Structures are given as structure tokens and as C-alpha cells.
Amino acid sequence: MTTLEGLAHGLTVALQPSVLIYSLFGALLGTLVGVLPGIGAMAAITLLLPITYYISSEAALVMLAAVYYGAQYGGAVASILLRLPGTPQSAVTTLDGYPMAQQGRAGVALFTAMVSSFAGSMLGIVILVALAGVLGRLATSFGAAEYAAMMVMGLVAASTIGEGRPAKSLSMVVLGVLLGCVGTDVNSGVQRFTFGQVQLLDGINLVALAMGLFGLAEVIGNIRKAERDGPPPHVSLRQLVPSRDDLRRIVAPIGRGTALGGFFGALPGTGSTISSFLGYALERRVARQPERFGQGAIEGIAGPEAANNSAAITAFVPTLTLGIPGDPIMALMLGALVIHGIQPGPMMLEAHPDMFWGLVVSFGIGNLFLLALNLPLIGIWVSMLRIPFRWLYPAIIVFVCLGVYSVRGSTFDIVMVAGIGAIGYALAVAAFSPALLLLGFVLGPLIETNLRRALLVSRGDLMTFVERPVACGFVIATVLLLALPLLKGLRRNGG
Amino acid sequence: MTDLRRSLALASILAGTVATAAAAQNWPSEPLHVFVGFPAGSSPDTIARIVAEPLAEAIGQPVVVENKPGAGGVIAIQQMLARGNDDYSIGININGPLTTAPRLIPDLGYDPAADIAPVGLIATSPLVLAVGADFPADDIQGFIDAAAEPEAISYGSVGEGSGAHLTAELFADAAGVQLFHIPFQSYAEVTTSILGGEIDSGFMAPSAALPHVEAGTMKMLGVTSAEPFAQVPDVPVMAGQAGLPEDFRAELWNAMIAPAGTDPAIVERLNTELNTILNDPEVRDQLLAIGWQAQPGTPEDLAQRITGDTAMWGGVIDRTQAAN
Amino acid sequence: MRRDLHDAAWGGVLALVGLAVAAWAAAYYDFGGLRRMGPGFFPVVLGLILAALGLLVAVPALGRPGMSRHFAWPETVGVVGALLVFGLLLNRAGLVPTTALTVLIASAVAPRRGIVWRLVLTIAVTALTWVLFIGGLDMPIPAWPRSF
């Protein structure tokens, strides 16, 4: 079956009325859970899984997939309006989205997020179709040494995204990595920093950390301030539409974000949170005026939103073509397929072309639904800003609690959020970057596990990072990233 | 902690004998909660849901599957116990939290022998020894020969103290070889690593290896069950081969459990219903499709499994800890 | 001249945290070698790095003027208290009473007098929560306390 035949075939599958309805339902539900802080695709898919036993395998997967990428759209909404990330992967959208909202440009920010998400997904589908074979091989050609070297490069590249003094920024990254050490050590089974709490054996809950550092810290700081400032000025419909200059600015970031997200999505173990962080770091790096970032730079929304949506699509590559799920959500999808008697793997395309091509086409249709659904909603979201904050924040607190609880049904995690929120607020007052702490937390465990595994595989030989060409490339890039500012400084002094 | 629980459990049995005899007559009068230690979509969760539906029909009350993932299934047992023996909280869990967890987690908070009432075994699964397609050997003897030099052959497991790790060490001990352990977080990672040529082998769930065997990129050298496993009938059993003992057997299992002190009549009822469900050919097929063999039995059978496995894996843990 | 006390204090705290982490890890977790790096390696090394960074934050801050920043104590206590109440009550009291109490506590620190709007808000949020999470998402949480 050629790609065109496959797509035509997929169209007949995806356009079945029942599949369409489940796709629409999934997109709606995904948007809802994405908007609600803390509740993410994982919780929604978990809640939906029992239903999938009773519907066709195509409808089931199309619905779950729609929830998954729908949540990526919704996640940006609260990030932009309230500095409250709906999902961890949209935490980075708060950095420039929220300042834009405060400048009265919430509508433009939301529009940018939606359009970038849509473009990222659609281009992600193109990548999926065109490069599924290549990307599938990518997954197995990346060993522990490559992961370790790549993640170190990512950490170095991204640790400049905070503002202010370098020592303050770096201390947050390191603190994040240390928080990532909490829990059972994969390599030795030793329980680190758990202090007898069995609830900590799997580490600190990422959602709890993201909600506490961003959402709650913001709520605490805003209760009195919002009352003093009053609601933001009324936004006319014209101000919702981005200017020509805005549009010109977001094209290139969407392209870069999509490519970056497409790459990381296809690698098992990385994924949309890392993609959006690195997408942001990349935009800041290539920007002519990096100091605009954090003050409402529109590129800082377009890049990461395109990246995380593109990653959400290409994450299906290793899941479907190798039977290797890259993250817990993909493991859930795999589980849903297996329940229907479909074993994803190298034979998937031949054995179940209906499923594969139906899914691919439905991704496109689902994203069209999402764009059509979300663009008209922008006006409603923006008008929510006019509700006095004292009416909003108690509800936000309840939603954060339930969102965190939904991850694994643990009230311990809610208590954790309380503590993290207080610390997060104190850090925010002292102008430490919570985004960098989160970055360290996400990348740290990947770096540690893969570095130690790479050394196990090579039996303790550090040369593995030099002898393996891809790993060596990342090491060289990391060295360059570190040396570049020094070289610039030297040239300035010398010339 | 456990002493207190134990005496409370005992007290409640004594005090409740008369009252519960009457209560068991009306049981169940409210929904039954099943605490599962793994997230939705995982194999223990799927097993729980396969069982829950016919169980709800049989007892005439809803059966609510509650996913309390964490610490390899331990969190779900703690949460089940925290609700007290209210006759409406049971668990479906894997072998780890009932056998090896007391050895591996110092602050477990429960004692499987004293705090858990076994209801019945549900299903078992062996592990297969899988290698990449270009591995020089095609059978267990060849694998053992290749591993003659200590630590020459590496294997991936799903974590220190996991079933896969302990099974591999049990195998290595029986075969008289020393394998090089590299822990991963999931079978998906182990598979990727074998396909990428980073590690030589892995002890893994048959269903994780099967698609790659069918695609010709992996080989299965042996299976750890006593009989050939129905999902991979062509893979030879390890027992008795290449100098391995005749009784060599290592299986993962899922079982239904209740808090100690649950009315014995209710445990009996649940066991009867469970066995009826597990003897249904359709259920057996559903379980097999996800890599599990239905194993109906009595609560005593399960109790014996727990004691036997605790002793067997305890020995393996002793040896690996001594080696480190 | 007012010193930059915020950075000085936080730098000091971070330095202490780093040292404590490194000391704890060095005492209890195996450092290992290059071939089999132990669970102590990362925490010890990173703990020491954090301690150094903390000093780098703290020491220069002592020598430069800073501005005093407002710390919203009442709001912090109110919000954290609301979260704690939610976490500790949810499994015991059920969703509806827990939500109501949480909203009341949280709204107590709002800078606006009056009890009526607080009660209206409590009822509205509780109803919305029930509709969204029990009615809509059908999450497995009891709505009311378990029967006695």
C-alpha cells in the first residue's frame, strides 16, 4: 500500500460517523481537561478506558488520541490567562503568554497558541507519514550514551531561559535535578530521600510540582494585587486578532518548534514536556533580542506550542511501529490496542493498515475540530479575565487539588502541593525562576539514569561518549554551547 | 504498627463473629472496591477489569476498580488496608507486594502474612529469555556457553528487585554463570536496548517480545514456566535443559486479596465467584491474549504460593545483596 | 543602605540545603565507581554544586543594596491551609463537604468583607466541582462521607 492509497483508505475509516463522533467527543474532553489545571490527558484517558472496551478499536483509539492532543490545546489557556499551567508541558507558555495577557494582549496570545498548536500538529502528521520508517529506526539507534549526551546538551542550552543572575538560574536547575533524585533509584533500587514515605518511592509527582511552583505561587501573590489593580481593560474584538507583524513573527518559530518536537516526540522517553522547554530555549537562542523573552515575546508561545503538539503526534511512531511506548500515556494507548487484540509492533502497518491509516487521518480531522472549537472560544476565555480574582481563585485551588489527585488517586500529593506552593511563592518573591527548577526536575533523572546506564553498558569506559558518533556530536555541541559566550567575550575584549 | 493491626484484626474477628454471620447473609449491599496497584491500561489493571465485569454481575453490585499506582503495587495494598476490613475493599495485585516487598522496602507498613487474607490466584505468566536476532546462540545451552566468562553477557530487567531481575539471577545461579545486570524502567526500554544492540538479552514478558520475534528481529530461547506457555507454545521450557534443575520455575502472578479480618464467608464467596469466572473459556482467552494464563484455585493455594515464593525470592535477594 | 537580604537569605538556605543533601547522600548512599556509579554519586556532586552556587548568590548580595519585597503572609497561610484541609479531608469527608470547607477557608483571605458573597461562592464552586468531576468526568471519589 503506497502512502497515498493508505491515506485514502484512512479517510474511509476516519470518516465513519461513529469514528467522527468519538473524535469530536475526545477533542472536546481533551480541551476541557487541558484547561482545568492539573488534570491532564493521562487522567482523562484513564477515566475513558473502560468505555473503550465497548466500542470499535478505531473509534476507541481515535477518541483517546483526540483527548491526548486536545489537552495540549487547552493547556495553554490557563497558562496565558492566569499563569497557571493546565498541563506540565504548557508551563513554559506562562513565561511569555502571561506577560502578554497583562499587557492586554491575551487574545493574541491565545490565538498564537491555538494556531501554533494546529500548525505543529498538522506538520507533525506530515512528518509522521513521510518519515515513520526513519523515525522508527531512530528509536533503536539511540542508546543510553546518546540520551545522556543529548539531555546534557538540552539542559545546558535551556538553562539560560531564566532572567537575572546566572548563579540564581543555575541554582534552580541544580535544585530541580536534586528534587528529581527523590524516590527509588532505577539503577540500584536504593530509596533516596524518601524518609520512610512509601508515597515518595516513585518520586515527586511532576504535576504536583508544576501546579505548586506556577499555579499556587501565582494565586498567593495575586489575591491582593488583583484586587488593587482591578480587572484588565476591556478588550475589543479587533485586539483579539494578531497584527501582520505578529503573524510574521510566529512563522519561523512554528517551523523550528515542529521540527524539534517531531524529533523528540519520536524518541521514547523524551516527549512533549521536554520538547516545549527546548522549543522555548531554541527561540530565545536564535532571537535577535533575547531580552524580550519573558516580557511577552510572541515567539515564546509559538515555538513551544508547536513543539509540544508536534511531539504529541510523532510520539505515536515508536508506539505503533515498534510497540514501544515512549511515555505513560502512550503505554495506555498501547494497552487500549492490546485489549482490542491489536499488538502494535514492526508488523503493525501490514497487519492492521485500517488502524494505522485511520489514526493518521483522524489526527488531521481531530485537529481541525480543535481549531474550529478553540478559535471562537478565545473571546470567552478573554472575557473571563474580567471576573474579579476573588471569585476565581478558590475554584482554582479546588481544581488544582482534584487535578493533582487525578494523577494517581493520592491525597499525599495534595499535601505536597501545599508545601511546594508555599516554597514556590517564596522563590517567586525572591525572583528565582520556577521554570528552571522544573526543567532540572524533568531532565535530571533522564540524565542520571542514562549516564549511569551508558557507563554500565560500556563497563565503565568514558570513551563511549567519544566513540559513538551521535553521542560525540552532542558532546561537541555542548562544549560549543558552553564556550560560545566565552569566545564572544574574548573577541569583544580583543577587538 | 503491625502488632497493633494484628491484635485489632484478631479483636475484630472475635467481636464480629456473631455480627458478621448475619452481615454475610446480606453481603453485598453496597459497591465492592477493588484496589489495583498499577495505572489504567497496565496488565494488572486489564486483568482486574476482565474479572470485575462478570464479578459485578455475579454478586449483583457494582465493582469499582480503583487504580492506586505506585511503589510496584504497594500503595494500593496500603490504601486497601487503610480502609479497614469493611468487607467491601479488596485488592488485585501482583506477586511483588506480597512476597518480595517486605525485603526491599523497609517502611512497608504491612506484613503480607498477618495483614492479608488470600482470596485466590487469578493468572500467572512466565518470563522468556529474549535475545537479538544476531545473538550467536539459538538455545539455552548455547546461551549458557556464551555466558561462561563472568559478566560477558548483559541482560536488562525492569529494575533492581523486580521479577525480571530476580528471575535472571535465579537462572544464573542455577546455570552456574554470572550475568551482567543493567536495570531499566520498563520492558519497552529493555526491548529498545536489545534491538539497538546495546544489551545482549532480557528476561521479559512473552507479549513484550512476541511482536519482535514475529518480525524476525528477536529470538526467544526459553520460557521459565514448568509447562510450555500457550501464548508462545514453541518456546522450550528451561526446566531440565542444559543442566537446569527439573523443578526450575519462575512465574509472575496476579491474585485477588482482602484485608485480614474480612469475614471468612465473604472470602469464600469471592473465591467461588472468581473460580467460576476463571473457568469461563471466554475469560481464559481474554487473559491469554494479554499474556496471562488463568489459574483458578483455593485461598489455601494462594497462601502456599505466597509462602513458597517469599522463601524462593528471599534466597535470591540474599545472594544478590551478598554479591554487591 | 538596605542590603539585598532576599538573595542573601535564599543563597544561604540553598547552600545549607546543598550541604545537607550531599552529607546525607554521602552517609547513606553508595558513591560507587565509574563502572557501576552508585546512588550517592549524583546527590553528593550536585549537593556540593548547589552549596557553591548558594554561596555565589549569597555573598555578593551582602555587598549590594536591594529592595524590600512584600511577602503576602496571610494569603500564603490561607491558601496553604485550604490545600491541606482538602488533602486531609477528601478521603474522610467526601468531595462535597471538603470542597465547601476549602472554598470557605481560601476565600477568608480575600481582601473583601462580607459573608454573603463567600457563601454564594462556596455553593457555586461546590456545585460546579460536583458537576465537572462526579457528574462529568465520573471520577471515583465519594461525594459524601462514608456511612457509619
Side-chain angles (χ1 to χ4, degrees):
Chain A
M1 199 182 282
T2 67
T3 303
L4 269 184
E5 281 168 13
L7 285 174
H9 183 64
L11 211 53
T12 62
V13 176
L15 286 180
Q16 291 169 43
S18 68
V19 174
L20 274 179
I21 288 171
Y22 280 109
S23 174
L24 182 61
F25 172 70
L28 277 169
L29 185 74
T31 306
L32 173 71
V33 297
V35 170
L36 290 175
I39 291 220
M42 183 78 192
I45 293 174
T46 302
L47 294 168
L48 284 180
L49 199 65
I51 303 176
T52 64
Y53 293 70
Y54 305 105
I55 59 182
S56 78
S57 54
E58 286 91 0
L61 256 280
V62 161
M63 174 176 72
L64 297 184
V67 172
Y68 179 49
Y69 49 71
Q72 312 261 15
Y73 278 72
V77 173
S79 295
I80 290 170
L81 298 179
L82 300 166
R83 200 171 179 264
L84 181 75
T87 52
Q89 50 265 40
S90 63
V92 79
T93 306
T94 61
L95 297 181
D96 281 286
Y98 185 65
M100 277 183 78
Q102 296 214 301
Q103 295 154 14
R105 284 162 52 81
V108 178
L110 286 169
F111 181 90
T112 305
M114 299 309 163
V115 168
S116 309
S117 296
F118 179 73
S121 302
M122 286 311 208
L123 294 171
I125 295 169
V126 175
I127 295 177
L128 172 71
V129 171
L131 300 175
V134 182
L135 289 175
R137 278 195 296 281
L138 189 68
T140 52
S141 62
F142 261 59
E146 284 77 20
Y147 273 105
M150 181 175 75
M151 291 299 140
V152 169
M153 184 192 79
L155 194 70
V156 169
S159 50
T160 54
I161 63 177
E163 307 133 54
R165 301 170 200 288
K168 284 177 87 169
S169 297
L170 283 177
S171 67
M172 285 299 105
V173 176
V174 175
L175 187 63
V177 178
L178 282 172
L179 286 177
C181 288
V182 173
T184 308
D185 172 36
V186 179
N187 287 74
S188 65
V190 169
Q191 290 130 30
R192 294 189 296 193
F193 306 108
T194 54
F195 307 107
Q197 285 292 332
V198 176
Q199 297 272 1
L200 282 176
L201 288 189
D202 297 313
I204 295 170
N205 181 338
L206 168 67
V207 174
L209 192 70
M211 292 305 125
L213 284 179
F214 284 87
L216 287 178
E218 184 63 22
V219 166
I220 294 171
N222 228 350
I223 293 175
R224 200 161 290 269
K225 193 170 147 284
E227 200 74 19
R228 219 174 32 237
D229 299 352
H234 185 72
V235 186
S236 75
L237 205 63
R238 275 201 58 195
Q239 282 166 288
L240 299 183
V241 183
S243 67
R244 191 170 294 232
D245 181 53
D246 289 332
L247 288 176
R248 190 180 52 75
R249 279 175 188 278
I250 65 175
V251 173
I254 287 175
R256 286 189 289 263
T258 304
L260 189 107
F263 174 76
F264 283 104
L267 284 175
T270 59
S272 48
T273 306
I274 289 173
S275 302
S276 59
F277 269 101
L278 296 184
Y280 186 84
L282 179 67
E283 288 315 314
R284 202 186 143 108
R285 285 253 161 210
V286 300
R288 242 170 272 147
Q289 300 159 288
E291 62 280 359
R292 281 176 45 246
F293 280 73
Q295 316 290 331
I298 199 166
E299 299 91 329
I301 299 174
E305 285 294 328
N308 70 37
N309 282 278
S310 163
I313 300 289
T314 54
F316 281 91
V317 172
T319 311
L320 294 178
T321 64
L322 292 172
I324 290 168
D327 62 23
I329 293 180
M330 284 298 130
L332 250 171
M333 299 269 181
L334 193 83
L337 278 171
V338 172
I339 290 164
H340 281 97
I342 296 173
Q343 179 66 56
M347 316 302 276
M348 168 94 184
L349 239 169
E350 287 153 50
H352 303 282
D354 287 16
M355 190 69 195
F356 185 86
W357 291 108
L359 257 179
V360 167
V361 174
S362 86
F363 288 164
I365 296 175
N367 275 286
L368 278 172
F369 279 147
L370 281 164
L371 192 70
L373 175 73
N374 276 289
L375 284 183
L377 279 177
I378 290 179
I380 298 174
W381 296 131
V382 173
S383 62
M384 269 183 62
L385 281 177
R386 301 192 57 79
I387 302 174
F389 195 62
R390 65 174 184 280
W391 289 96
L392 282 182
Y393 80 85
I396 292 174
I397 291 173
V398 170
F399 290 172
V400 165
C401 287
L402 283 166
V404 169
Y405 180 82
S406 74
V407 176
R408 51 175 191 163
S410 159
T411 52
F412 177 87
D413 287 346
I414 303 178
V415 176
M416 285 288 290
V417 175
I420 295 168
I423 296 170
Y425 174 63
L427 287 170
V429 168
F432 283 90
S433 162
L436 286 175
L437 202 165
L438 202 60
L439 177 80
F441 180 80
V442 172
L443 288 181
L446 274 174
I447 293 175
E448 184 187 11
T449 312
N450 283 298
L451 176 67
R452 289 167 65 183
R453 189 176 295 150
L455 288 171
L456 274 177
V457 169
S458 75
R459 307 292 206 269
D461 185 1
L462 275 174
M463 287 306 281
T464 184
F465 293 102
V466 181
E467 285 161 4
R468 298 178 66 117
V470 179
C472 183
F474 287 122
V475 171
I476 292 172
T478 310
V479 173
L480 284 179
L481 275 173
L482 287 169
L484 223 53
L486 287 175
L487 285 177
K488 268 187 191 162
L490 279 180
R491 202 186 301 159
R492 207 171 299 148
N493 291 342
Chain B
M1 186 80 181
T2 24
D3 280 346
L4 179 69
R5 281 242 180 84
R6 213 171 302 178
S7 42
L8 279 177
L10 192 66
S12 71
I13 293 170
L14 293 176
T17 319
V18 188
T20 52
Q25 301 268 308
N26 306 326
W27 190 91
S29 59
E30 51 178 288
L32 186 65
H33 291 260
V34 183
F35 288 79
V36 176
F38 294 84
S42 62
S43 70
D45 171 74
T46 311
I47 289 172
R49 289 174 199 272
I50 289 173
V51 170
E53 202 190 305
L55 183 62
E57 227 163 88
I59 62 173
Q61 279 285 344
V63 174
V64 185
V65 174
E66 296 216 24
N67 299 97
K68 301 286 180 185
V74 164
I75 301 272
I77 294 193
Q78 290 184 336
Q79 302 232 346
M80 173 187 82
L81 293 173
R83 284 175 50 121
N85 46 340
D86 61 1
D87 298 341
Y88 290 95
S89 309
I90 63 169
I92 289 183
N93 221 313
I94 63 163
N95 43 323
L98 300 170
T99 55
T100 54
R103 288 294 306 275
L104 300 171
I105 302 174
D107 305 289
L108 193 61
Y110 67 89
D111 172 5
D115 298 326
I116 301 290
V119 175
L121 199 59
I122 299 175
T124 56
S125 166
L127 293 173
V128 291
L129 173 56
V131 294
D134 47 4
F135 191 81
D138 289 311
D139 56 13
I140 290 293
Q141 183 64 56
F143 183 85
I144 293 174
D145 292 344
E149 196 181 318
E151 303 195 335
I153 297 292
S154 60
Y155 74 93
S157 82
V158 288
E160 185 83 19
S162 64
H165 172 218
L166 297 178
T167 302
E169 293 303 328
L170 187 75
F171 168 84
D173 189 62
V177 294
Q178 234 181 311
L179 301 173
F180 192 72
H181 178 214
I182 299 183
F184 290 81
Q185 271 156 305
S186 64
Y187 287 127
E189 285 188 351
V190 177
T191 312
T192 320
S193 198
I194 293 178
L195 292 176
E198 206 176 29
I199 56 173
D200 300 307
S201 63
F203 277 82
M204 53 206 286
S207 46
L210 198 53
H212 304 282
V213 173
E214 283 169 355
T217 50
M218 266 186 164
K219 296 187 282 195
M220 291 187 275
L221 303 185
V223 62
T224 62
S225 48
E227 313 262 310
F229 189 62
Q231 201 188 22
V232 286
D234 303 333
V235 180
V237 297
M238 290 180 180
Q241 268 198 75
L244 290 174
E246 288 293 339
D247 63 347
F248 180 82
R249 186 181 76 161
E251 282 173 334
L252 314 180
W253 40 264
N254 272 277
M256 187 184 283
I257 52 171
T262 302
D263 188 333
I266 291 171
V267 171
E268 192 57 46
R269 169 87 191 275
L270 283 170
N271 177 267
T272 314
E273 302 293 358
L274 180 64
N275 286 336
T276 314
I277 293 167
L278 293 177
N279 283 318
D280 176 352
E282 200 179 316
V283 170
R284 299 180 78 91
D285 286 347
Q286 278 178 312
L287 288 171
L288 199 59
I290 58 165
W292 292 84
Q293 174 79 52
Q295 298 281 6
T298 63
E300 291 72 33
D301 292 341
L302 176 57
Q304 272 176 16
R305 268 274 179 173
I306 295 176
T307 333
D309 277 14
T310 304
M312 178 172 86
W313 296 127
V316 179
I317 293 172
D318 286 337
R319 283 198 296 276
T320 55
Q321 283 181 347
N324 279 344
Chain C
M1 185 180 79
R2 237 193 110 88
R3 309 265 176 217
D4 192 347
L5 288 179
H6 266 283
D7 274 14
W10 268 108
V13 169
L14 288 174
L16 286 178
V17 168
L19 278 182
V21 165
W24 178 278
Y28 293 104
Y29 311 134
D30 180 24
F31 195 76
L34 211 48
R35 182 177 150 102
R36 214 177 257 281
M37 209 179 260
F41 185 89
F42 254 61
V44 169
V45 171
L46 287 167
L48 292 176
I49 294 177
L50 183 62
L53 287 170
L55 287 180
L56 274 176
V57 174
V59 173
L62 285 172
R64 66 163 183 258
M67 50 181 183
S68 86
R69 296 186 177 98
H70 173 70
F71 195 98
W73 279 112
E75 288 88 339
T76 308
V77 171
V79 169
V80 170
L83 284 161
L84 285 177
V85 163
F86 197 99
L88 297 176
L89 271 187
L90 183 64
N91 276 342
R92 295 179 178 83
L95 183 66
V96 172
T98 306
T99 304
L101 193 60
T102 304
V103 173
L104 274 178
I105 295 172
S107 65
V109 293
R112 168 75 57 114
R113 287 166 193 283
I115 186 73
V116 177
W117 76 270
R118 290 190 162 86
L119 290 177
V120 171
L121 179 69
T122 302
I123 292 166
V125 173
T126 308
L128 180 67
T129 306
W130 191 91
V131 167
L132 274 177
F133 292 92
I134 307 263
L137 294 173
D138 198 20
M139 268 170 69
I141 313 172
W144 298 99
R146 299 182 68 204
S147 51
F148 291 95

